[in-house]
Amino acid sequence: MGKQKPDMIKGSLDMLILKILSLEPTHGWGIGERVQQISKDELQVNQGSLYASLHKLTREGWITSHWKVTENNRRARFYALTRAGRKQLGVEEDHWARLAAAVQTILAVG
Amino acid sequence: MRWISNIWFRLCATFTPGRMEREMDEEMAFHMEMEARKLVRGGLKPEEAARQARRNFGGPMREKERARDAWGIGLVQDLTSDLRLTFRSLRRSPAFTVVAVLTLALGIGGTTAIFSVVNGVLLEPLPYRDAGELVSVHHSSSTASSGAIPLSAALYFTFRDHARTLRDIGIYKEREVTVTGLDQPERVAALAVTDGLFPVLGLQPMLGRGYRREDAAPGSTYPVILAHGYWQRRFGGDPNILSRTIRVEGSDREIVGVMPANLSLPGVRAELFLPLVFDRARLEIGNFSFPGIARLKPGVTPEAATRELDGLTVVATERWGGFTLEMLRARNFTSVVRPLRVTVVGGAGTALWVVFGTVCVVLLIACANVANLFLVRAESRQRDVALRAALGASWGRLARHFLTESLLIGLAGGVLGLLLAHGGIRLLLGLAPTSIPRLEDIGLDPIVLLFALGISILTGLLFGSIPVLRFGRGSLAGPLKDGGRGSSGGKRRFQYRTLFAVAQVAMALVLLVASGLMIRSFQALRTVPPGFENSEEVLTFRVAIPSSEIPDVDAATLMHQAILERVASLPGVTSVSGAASVAMESWESWDDWMVEEFPVAETEVGPNRRMNWIVPGYFETIQNRLLAGRSLEWVDIYGRRNVVMVTENFAREYWGQPSGALGKRIRNGQSSPWREIVGVVGNDHTMGVAAAPPPVIYLPFITANFWGSESYSVRELRYVIRASRPDPLSLLAGVRQAVRSVNPNLALSDVKTLKQIFDQSIARTSFTLVMLGIAAGVALILGMVGVYGVISYIVSQRTREIGVRMALGASKAQVSRQVMRQGGVFAGLGVVLGLAVALALTRLMSGLLFGVSPADVLTYAAVSAALAVVVLLASYLPARRAARVDPMVALRAE
């Protein structure tokens, strides 16, 4: 099972997905695995939220999808970042950094 | 660019949800498979791994739901499912749906129909270019009893040449001319216009050209311009019309232009246009006969123009003869510049707004009925709603469902109402052809359609909010806990319904009072002696003998006399006579008359009086009583005697009683001869029975030494024929023959019975009466239905209570009496409320009333009594039903 952390801030899931996809195009399950891997099991993505997020990001035009056959000879839907998505990623990273700094400032008081 | 992908995504989701669902399924299956494989690698057995994977994933249904939510088309999906549900539930209760839609259709249809009239007549701008700049120009004076005095040609020229506030000005005069040289001689309505009139209105001819100033100058051939309809009708739309000539009033005229179709001139019908010609050398300030229309320069107000024109009038008195400045000042003579639309609409405004107000009230009553229906329906579905709420429907969702239902009914009522309105408008246009100005502007145009749509949506929202408010966010569990019948408790519910019923009764009362007042006005109008009797036996028509045909005055007189004799000898004719204008026609002539016995100063003239020219025997033919002295006779005509007759009010004004006027002398100017009054007749309501009759002076139709001519003769007479039977139109063929036998170039025109003339003069009142009557009738029926509905419902809700009471010994009579008392309460409250509102509102329609005050006790009392009876009647049936309740059945029903 592993440690489960709920999505702390809803928007951060979108950002994480964009980041993962900026490294290389992956399918839905793969995204979840990568997040878990990279965060060393600290973050585990909720499957339902994952697909809801993926649909939203597609709708917004930040990622696109296409069906491909995997190494295991199975059909899967692969997602990739668009140029607009890359820009959006930068925006969200900035926002996150500012937010984290602000929170830190408050916690550092007293 | 992003919004493109957004829209595309939503479109795909809306139209191909199946494919997206399948892809989602496949994707999730893949996901779970990968997860299972990972778990197997971690040491689990395959089936265990598969189960674990599924559990990790969470309920696929819910995940799919969440994913679908992210599609962003939830609203559309919900709406479509709402619509489907609503259709089904409405279809299952057809009675409710049909009654609600029909009632609304009645209200919306009536309101839309009347609104289209209000819109076309009062709200829309006139159909001319930049119509806001157009004004009518006329004068007013304290001695003229009619409101607007048209322009005099001298003043027109002054204004035209010097007014800086006006872009241009044109004047016109309605005439009838004889057109000969075609297969048949014909009298046509014509309009003589100055060169500026068409440009002022922005009207361009379709063929040829308009008028230039030279066309009215001496030496011109005075060419004519045809109206589109006349060109089609008489010349078959001949494309080579411009090279033809026609003979108008005895002289050949070239046709230089044709005006386009759908030309509308304010309040005027014309088939032919002529140049309005003046002899500038002989002009003086006088003969105020020419209505004027002008276009203001941009940014100029009518008040500024009025001031300038008043100033120019002073200048004009120095340049022209005729009325002097002192004479004008003595009469408070001023110019009046008014927006053209106001002049055209005239007095129709009040009547129309009153009628519009009434239909709005009917709409309100209809809404009250439908609101009641919705309340009942909402209550019978309490359990339904509670169940849905318990199953997870949010309050917003429920509200949306109710609103969808009521909006659907509102829109359905609106569509049906539009159909009704369409038919209603046709009916209106058929009913009241002349009393409404600008008839051609009435129709279902975009603004009216928008209005209907707006009302439908508004009423829909209104009704939808009833169950929404009713159920609120409060405890919906209550109805579920109950035996499932819907408790009859809740005083608030009854109060709403009672309020509706009382309000309906009140509104019906207001409308009935308004109708009653109009009925009494109408009756009062009919009892005013109009100056003639037995109008249904009298036929009238006009014949003109143009001076171009018969220049000699005596010859023309002989011709008129010949016509009179020939017609008199026809079978079925009791008497024949004629006059320049017959009661209530708009043909008018005025001049100032002074009385010998009451001299005025040298520079002064007497008061302005209406005049008419008559043929001997006129009063006997139309049966206006002779009060003193004698009638004019043929010997007065041939002897060129200076004699006149006057009306009763003229005699009384100077001498206190009719006989006092005999032998007295009057004249219309210092240089005119004195004329002796030889007879006095009853008052002449020349401006309709609703207005006070002006004093009239009657001259013989050939008058010696009058208005600058030795023998002033009226070339065009309106003949009056009294028939022995009340079907005077049957004489028409014989009369035409008689006229033709005297001179084949003469034509009859404007054939009407005297009764038609009279009816037209009260047309506005009768029209308003009919409209109000219909509205009041509908209101009464709707109100009755409403009251019946409410009381029935109360009875059905209280069945158990009634059963208990009967079991405890109450008699049938007592039970039914109690229900009737409920009805009586509605009647009482409604009548009291209605009386208060009626007293306040009927003041607004006092302009339409005649001979009855807006607070007329008789009307109010009668209407209240009648309405109370009707309401009690409406509660009679439910009362009987209450009496028939079987206590055993009522108590057992649970």
Side-chain angles (χ1 to χ4, degrees):
Chain A
M1 275 248 194
K3 301 199 190 100
Q4 293 225 23
K5 283 241 156 42
D7 303 316
M8 271 213 304
I9 303 164
K10 271 203 165 63
S12 62
L13 178 59
D14 288 351
M15 186 178 59
L16 293 178
I17 295 179
L18 289 177
K19 182 65 187 178
I20 300 291
L21 289 179
S22 76
L23 304 175
E24 67 168 337
T26 341
H27 47 64
W29 186 78
I31 295 177
E33 282 299 290
R34 291 288 274 158
V35 168
Q36 209 172 335
Q37 260 174 26
I38 300 181
S39 69
K40 299 195 188 8
D41 271 352
E42 276 294 322
L43 296 178
Q44 192 158 348
V45 177
N46 176 289
Q47 339 280 39
S49 329
L50 172 68
Y51 285 99
S53 243
L54 284 171
H55 282 280
K56 174 170 163 232
L57 293 173
T58 315
R59 200 183 74 215
E60 296 286 354
W62 292 326
I63 61 179
T64 58
S65 65
H66 54 279
W67 289 88
K68 242 172 65 172
V69 178
T70 66
E71 317 90 45
N72 307 328
N73 234 350
R74 302 268 306 141
R75 224 167 80 100
R77 192 184 219 153
F78 279 76
Y79 294 90
L81 208 58
T82 63
R83 202 173 33 226
R86 210 170 285 277
K87 216 167 18 169
Q88 181 66 13
L89 176 59
V91 167
E92 300 230 6
E93 282 177 347
D94 276 338
H95 183 77
W96 177 261
R98 276 207 312 263
L99 188 62
V103 171
Q104 188 56 37
T105 321
I106 304 221
L107 291 181
V109 168
Chain B
M1 286 308 277
R2 243 183 51 217
W3 57 268
I4 296 186
S5 69
N6 206 325
I7 304 278
W8 178 247
F9 191 91
R10 290 191 208 238
L11 281 176
C12 284
T14 317
F15 291 108
T16 56
R19 188 170 65 106
M20 292 192 67
E21 288 272 336
R22 276 198 308 270
E23 291 187 347
M24 208 162 49
D25 283 339
E26 197 175 340
E27 201 173 354
M28 292 187 177
F30 173 79
H31 187 117
M32 283 192 281
E33 209 187 293
M34 296 294 282
E35 184 74 13
R37 226 179 277 185
K38 173 171 152 195
L39 289 171
V40 163
R41 276 203 295 274
L44 253 58
K45 284 210 285 290
E47 312 87 52
E48 184 61 34
R51 249 203 315 251
Q52 187 79 286
R54 263 203 297 277
R55 243 182 300 153
N56 280 357
F57 198 77
M61 285 292 287
R62 213 173 54 205
E63 302 310 329
K64 274 174 42 173
E65 183 75 36
R66 287 178 64 187
R68 251 187 256 121
D69 275 344
W71 289 0
I73 59 164
L75 196 61
V76 172
Q77 275 196 326
D78 280 344
L79 271 178
T80 30
S81 81
D82 265 340
L83 272 174
R84 254 181 315 179
L85 264 177
T86 311
F87 265 121
R88 253 198 309 211
S89 78
L90 284 180
R91 238 201 340 224
R92 257 180 296 155
S93 31
F96 165 80
T97 316
V98 166
V99 173
V101 170
L102 275 182
T103 315
L104 265 187
L106 252 179
I108 296 182
T111 319
T112 308
I114 301 295
F115 178 75
S116 73
V117 177
V118 166
N119 182 48
V121 175
L122 299 177
L123 297 178
E124 260 192 17
L126 293 173
Y128 308 114
R129 185 174 52 88
D130 291 325
E133 295 172 345
L134 292 175
V135 290
S136 66
V137 181
H138 51 265
H139 301 293
S140 79
S141 110
S142 52
T143 57
S145 38
S146 92
I149 304 180
L151 293 178
S152 144
L155 287 175
Y156 156 70
F157 282 117
T158 312
F159 296 160
R160 184 193 74 180
D161 295 334
H162 301 291
R164 281 197 301 253
T165 53
L166 305 176
R167 181 93 58 86
D168 200 355
I169 179 172
I171 57 178
Y172 58 91
K173 183 106 176 83
E174 289 178 71
R175 293 179 52 186
E176 267 198 7
V177 294
T178 309
V179 175
T180 48
L182 306 167
D183 49 341
Q184 261 202 51
E186 197 182 6
R187 286 293 279 178
V188 291
L191 198 69
V193 298
T194 57
D195 58 287
L197 189 69
F198 288 148
V200 161
L201 292 173
L203 300 173
Q204 304 267 28
M206 189 180 91
L207 289 178
R209 63 171 179 85
Y211 278 126
R212 302 191 281 252
R213 219 162 268 194
E214 308 86 77
D215 292 322
S220 154
T221 53
Y222 308 127
V224 300
I225 296 180
L226 303 181
H228 186 94
Y230 191 61
W231 173 53
Q232 292 289 338
R233 185 168 63 80
R234 248 355 198 118
F235 301 92
D238 179 4
N240 296 321
I241 190 77
L242 293 183
S243 50
R244 293 174 64 161
T245 60
I246 56 175
R247 199 176 176 81
V248 177
E249 293 286 292
S251 54
D252 286 316
R253 315 286 193 104
E254 194 192 337
I255 300 174
V256 292
V258 177
M259 296 306 280
N262 298 331
L263 187 75
S264 71
L265 286 161
V268 160
R269 304 208 150 279
E271 313 234 52
L272 197 63
F273 299 98
L274 311 159
L276 189 51
V277 179
F278 298 104
D279 183 356
R280 279 184 86 142
R282 309 232 320 243
L283 267 187
E284 50 175 35
I285 300 183
N287 191 12
F288 297 93
S289 319
F290 307 99
I293 299 182
R295 184 178 282 277
L296 296 172
K297 287 219 176 104
V300 174
T301 63
E303 294 75 30
T306 311
R307 281 196 299 272
E308 186 186 22
L309 293 186
D310 278 339
L312 284 175
T313 309
V314 175
V315 170
T317 54
E318 289 156 22
R319 180 171 308 200
W320 306 91
F323 277 76
T324 63
L325 190 56
E326 296 77 44
M327 290 158 75
L328 293 180
R329 286 254 170 81
R331 295 162 154 67
N332 299 323
F333 182 88
T334 62
S335 302
V336 177
V337 174
R338 214 189 279 154
L340 190 59
R341 201 177 67 200
V342 173
T343 309
V344 167
V345 164
T350 319
L352 280 178
W353 282 120
V354 166
V355 174
F356 185 65
T358 14
V359 266
C360 283
V361 172
V362 173
L363 179 65
L364 281 177
I365 298 183
C367 284
N369 265 356
V370 178
N372 259 342
L373 286 174
F374 267 91
L375 259 183
V376 172
R377 182 176 170 77
E379 256 139 49
S380 65
R381 292 155 86 211
Q382 264 180 20
R383 279 196 69 217
D384 228 12
V385 170
L387 211 60
R388 291 178 74 186
L391 282 178
S394 71
W395 184 82
R397 197 85 170 54
L398 286 173
R400 208 168 47 213
H401 173 78
F402 288 134
L403 280 174
T404 316
E405 199 174 66
S406 64
L407 266 176
L408 213 61
I409 291 197
L411 284 172
V415 167
L416 192 60
L418 263 181
L419 287 175
L420 281 179
H422 180 71
I425 293 178
R426 302 209 130 176
L427 198 71
L428 264 176
L429 293 182
L431 261 186
T434 48
S435 60
I436 308 183
R438 298 183 67 186
L439 271 184
E440 54 283 354
D441 291 334
I442 296 175
L444 285 177
D445 57 358
I447 297 191
V448 176
L449 290 176
L450 214 67
F451 175 81
L453 184 68
I455 294 195
S456 313
I457 294 184
L458 208 68
T459 48
L461 286 176
L462 196 71
F463 298 135
S465 55
I466 293 177
V468 165
L469 289 174
R470 164 92 189 67
F471 290 124
R473 295 176 188 254
S475 69
L476 292 166
L480 278 178
K481 277 189 273 180
D482 202 333
R485 217 174 21 116
S487 60
S488 65
K491 285 187 108 165
R492 212 180 320 139
R493 193 182 326 160
F494 279 150
Q495 276 167 6
Y496 272 142
R497 218 172 272 122
T498 314
L499 192 67
F500 285 152
V502 167
Q504 281 181 318
V505 173
M507 289 192 277
L509 185 92
V510 172
L511 289 188
L512 286 170
V513 163
S515 299
L517 288 175
M518 286 306 292
I519 291 181
R520 297 205 56 194
S521 297
F522 193 70
Q523 279 176 330
L525 275 181
R526 309 214 81 173
T527 58
V528 172
F532 45 80
E533 301 286 321
N534 295 324
S535 57
E536 63 278 359
E537 292 168 2
V538 177
L539 179 68
T540 74
F541 53 86
R542 291 221 288 270
V543 173
I545 303 180
S547 44
S548 48
E549 282 266 334
I550 313 278
D552 179 38
V553 170
D554 277 324
T557 313
L558 279 173
M559 203 170 281
H560 275 306
Q561 197 169 17
I563 296 178
L564 288 168
E565 275 167 16
R566 302 261 171 107
V567 172
S569 62
L570 289 176
V573 172
T574 311
S575 61
V576 185
S577 185
S581 95
V582 168
M584 296 174 203
E585 270 198 292
S586 52
W587 198 98
E588 286 181 19
S589 253
W590 300 76
D591 205 347
D592 305 306
W593 289 81
M594 60 177 98
V595 178
E596 190 177 31
E597 234 180 87
F598 304 94
V600 293
E602 269 291 312
T603 50
E604 281 293 306
V605 295
N608 206 246
R609 303 288 189 193
R610 182 126 164 34
M611 304 179 309
N612 201 350
W613 286 263
I614 56 172
V615 168
Y618 172 69
F619 295 115
E620 289 71 24
T621 306
I622 64 168
Q623 292 181 359
N624 188 0
R625 302 178 342 265
L626 187 66
L627 295 175
R630 63 169 180 88
S631 241
L632 295 180
E633 286 152 17
W634 282 105
V635 65
D636 296 314
I637 307 258
Y638 284 115
R640 300 280 197 271
R641 302 233 202 110
N642 290 330
V643 287
V644 296
M645 298 174 73
V646 296
T647 52
E648 186 183 347
N649 41 12
F650 186 90
R652 283 190 200 279
E653 184 184 326
Y654 286 101
W655 298 285
Q657 38 164 343
S659 52
L662 296 178
K664 303 293 196 292
R665 306 206 298 174
I666 61 176
R667 69 176 177 189
N668 63 322
Q670 303 282 1
S671 46
S672 301
W674 290 106
R675 300 176 201 270
E676 183 185 334
I677 300 177
V678 296
V680 180
V681 289
N683 284 335
D684 196 349
H685 285 261
T686 61
M687 302 197 293
V689 281
V696 183
I697 298 171
Y698 298 96
L699 298 152
F701 80 102
I702 301 194
T703 315
N705 298 320
F706 192 76
W707 278 354
S709 51
E710 216 182 280
S711 283
Y712 180 88
S713 74
V714 173
R715 288 297 182 140
E716 181 175 324
L717 277 182
R718 184 173 272 287
Y719 282 79
V720 281
I721 304 178
R722 182 167 288 279
S724 51
R725 330 166 273 240
D727 181 24
L729 285 169
S730 57
L731 297 173
L732 198 54
V735 168
R736 269 198 226 271
Q737 182 56 32
V739 170
R740 206 171 301 144
S741 69
V742 170
N743 184 332
N745 281 335
L746 297 178
L748 269 65
S749 66
D750 204 14
V751 178
K752 283 194 275 224
T753 64
L754 200 54
K755 182 164 191 316
Q756 280 173 329
I757 296 182
F758 178 69
D759 284 341
Q760 253 168 23
S761 73
I762 53 173
R764 180 168 301 147
T765 311
S766 44
F767 172 71
T768 315
L769 176 63
V770 168
M771 290 285 106
L772 275 181
I774 295 180
V778 171
L780 188 62
I781 294 179
L782 286 178
M784 218 170 103
V785 168
V787 168
Y788 170 81
V790 170
I791 299 197
S792 298
Y793 188 77
I794 294 181
V795 165
S796 69
Q797 289 300 92
R798 291 227 194 109
T799 315
R800 206 161 34 144
E801 189 186 316
I802 296 177
V804 167
R805 250 190 292 134
M806 289 187 105
L808 287 179
S811 74
K812 288 189 194 248
Q814 278 176 319
V815 164
S816 68
R817 234 178 314 163
Q818 213 238 2
V819 175
M820 296 285 286
R821 217 175 314 152
Q822 179 80 30
V825 165
F826 284 162
L829 284 176
V831 163
V832 166
L833 183 62
L835 283 176
V837 174
L839 270 172
L841 289 183
T842 47
R843 213 170 311 156
L844 293 172
M845 62 184 280
S846 49
L848 295 173
L849 300 179
F850 180 79
V852 63
S853 109
D856 179 51
V857 176
L858 179 60
T859 315
Y860 281 68
V863 165
S864 308
L867 188 59
V869 167
V870 164
V871 171
L872 284 177
L873 254 168
S875 33
Y876 174 66
L877 274 173
R880 269 206 2 205
R881 219 179 326 135
R884 272 194 259 125
V885 163
D886 182 348
M888 285 295 117
V889 174
L891 286 172
R892 227 179 288 137
E894 194 50 24

